[in-house]
Amino acid sequence: MMSGHLACSGCGATIGMRYALKALGEDTVVVIPASCWSVIAGVFPYDSLKVPVYHVAFETAASSATGVKAGLEMMGDTTTTVLAWAGDGGTFDIGLQALSGAAERNEDIIYVCYDNEAYMNTGIQRSSATPFLTWTTTTPVHQTKEEAKKNIMEIMAAHRIPYAATASIAYPEDFFNKIKKAKGMEGFKFIHILSTCPTGWRLPTQLSIKAARLAVLTRVFPLYEIEYGERYTLNLKPEFHPVKEYLKLQGRFSHLDDSQMEVIQGNVGKTWEKLMKKVET
Ligand SMILES: Cc1ncc(C[n+]2csc(CCOP(=O)(O)OP(=O)(O)O)c2C)c(N)n1
Ligand SMILES: [Mg+2]
C-alpha cells in the first residue's frame, strides 16, 4: 500500500489494509465489494494499492474472489493469494450467503471482514454487526439498537473452515502473524478485524488505536483463533478492565447511562466466559 489513499484520518480499516498487504506481499489480488474501501484505494491509475484490485458488487466478495482464484488456477498460477476485503455490511448481512457458500466449498482464499460496526460509506446505518444500544443514523438516541451484535466467528466455526481468527490494528505483530499464517494454509481462511471508525463512532481521530486496544483489553473484542471449527486458541488474556473505559471514548455511546453500561458489562462477561470454556488450556 502506498500513500495517497482517500480514507478519513484515523481510519482503522486503512491501517488494517496496510498491515495485511505488508504480510501478503505483492503477489496478491484484492477483491473489494461496495464499501468505504471502494473509495479509499482511489481511482486507477492513481490508486494507492500496488496490487491488482477488483471492485465487485456488494454481495459478491466471496463468490468473486472464488472466481478470481479459479481463473488464476486455469492459467497455471497456483501461488497468487486472493484476498477478499469486505466490510461488516458486506459480510454479516448482504454477502453472508456467498460467504457461506465459499466457506462450505473450502475455497482457497483469504476473506477479511474489516468490521467498523455499521454501513459507514453510505452514512453510518446500523448493520447486524452494530453492538447493542449503539447510536447510528438509523438507530437514533431515542431508539438505539435493541439487538446484540451477530457472532460471525461462531458462524464461521460452524462451517469448520481450516482457519478463523480475530485481529486488531492495536496489536500489529499478532495481526501480521495471523495474515502470514492464513497465507501459508490451504482452504478457506477468515479474519475478523475490528476497524475503528472515527467518523462513525464519533471518536477523536488520534484515539483510533487506543479505542482498538481498549476493545481487546475490556474483552469486548478478544483476540483468538479457531482451527477446523473446534480448536480454539486465545492469543491474549487481558486483566479485567471495565468496559466503560472503551465506551466513554466514543460519542456513539455517549447517551448510555450507568445502568445500561452495567448491562453491556454483563453481556461482555457472559460472552467472554463462553469463549473461555472453548479455549484450549
Ligand atoms: C446491492 C447494493 N445495495 C446497496 C448499496 C449501497 N452501498 C454501498 S457501500 C454500502 C455500505 C457498506 O457497508 P459495509 O459493508 O459495512 O462497509 P463500510 O462502508 O462500512 O466500509 C452500501 C449500503 C450497493 N452498493 N449495492
Ligand atoms: Mg461497515
Side-chain angles (χ1 to χ4, degrees):
M1 187 173 165
M2 302 174 289
S3 58
H5 66 75
L6 303 175
C8 305
S9 68
C11 169
T14 303
I15 298 166
M17 178 69 91
R18 194 158 72 83
Y19 292 164
L21 287 180
K22 212 179 255 269
L24 293 177
E26 285 186 29
D27 191 13
T28 304
V29 176
V30 184
V31 176
I32 302 179
S35 59
C36 287
W37 254 102
S38 308
V39 179
I40 294 170
V43 179
F44 183 82
Y46 306 110
D47 58 317
S48 59
L49 299 187
K50 227 176 163 181
V51 293
V53 179
Y54 188 29
H55 290 285
V56 302
F58 199 8
E59 63 279 22
T60 71
S63 45
S64 299
T66 296
V68 172
K69 182 70 187 174
L72 289 168
E73 280 178 355
M74 288 291 279
M75 294 193 304
D77 175 349
T78 53
T79 51
T80 300
T81 301
V82 179
L83 170 69
W85 184 267
D88 49 292
T91 302
F92 288 58
D93 296 338
I94 191 167
L96 189 64
Q97 63 86 13
L99 172 62
S100 174
E104 189 272 334
R105 296 187 306 271
N106 200 24
E107 300 291 348
D108 189 19
I109 60 174
I110 302 177
Y111 187 109
V112 168
C113 172
Y114 72 91
D115 178 7
N116 52 25
E117 302 191 319
Y119 292 75
M120 293 306 182
N121 188 49
T122 41
I124 326 174
Q125 293 87 13
R126 68 81 101 178
S127 75
S128 60
T130 304
F132 178 56
L133 297 182
T134 305
W135 166 89
T136 67
T137 56
T138 48
T139 49
V141 165
H142 58 277
Q143 209 179 337
T144 52
K145 197 185 176 223
E146 287 173 8
E147 301 80 19
K149 183 183 177 86
K150 194 185 273 184
N151 191 332
I152 194 75
M153 287 293 283
E154 284 303 310
I155 293 173
M156 297 320 293
H159 287 76
R160 298 180 292 273
I161 53 173
Y163 190 58
T166 62
S168 168
I169 53 164
Y171 295 86
E173 218 173 311
D174 176 80
F175 188 120
F176 186 88
N177 290 340
K178 284 170 176 167
I179 301 273
K180 273 266 188 220
K181 184 168 173 176
K183 184 180 163 75
M185 290 174 86
E186 262 191 46
F188 198 86
K189 288 83 57 176
F190 180 83
I191 314 241
H192 181 201
I193 302 167
L194 183 69
S195 296
T196 47
C197 172
T199 308
W201 293 13
R202 301 298 195 236
L203 169 75
T205 57
Q206 73 276 15
L207 298 182
S208 198
I209 299 289
K210 184 172 181 179
R213 187 173 302 120
L214 278 173
V216 174
L217 294 178
T218 57
R219 303 172 175 177
V220 167
F221 192 83
L223 292 179
Y224 63 105
E225 298 165 290
I226 312 172
E227 279 162 88
Y228 298 97
E230 54 187 27
R231 231 180 83 199
Y232 283 66
T233 309
L234 185 72
N235 308 111
L236 185 88
K237 191 163 191 179
E239 295 300 313
F240 178 79
H241 286 71
V243 75
K244 235 182 212 182
E245 288 181 29
Y246 173 65
L247 302 174
K248 289 256 181 195
L249 286 188
Q250 306 169 50
R252 66 176 174 152
F253 298 119
S254 61
H255 57 282
L256 295 180
D257 59 30
D258 282 346
S259 66
Q260 289 172 313
M261 286 199 233
E262 277 310 307
V263 174
I264 295 173
Q265 182 70 66
N267 293 344
V268 167
K270 267 186 234 157
T271 311
W272 172 265
E273 289 308 324
K274 266 194 214 161
L275 178 64
M276 286 312 103
K277 283 194 186 129
K278 292 180 177 167
V279 164
E280 292 201 350
T281 45

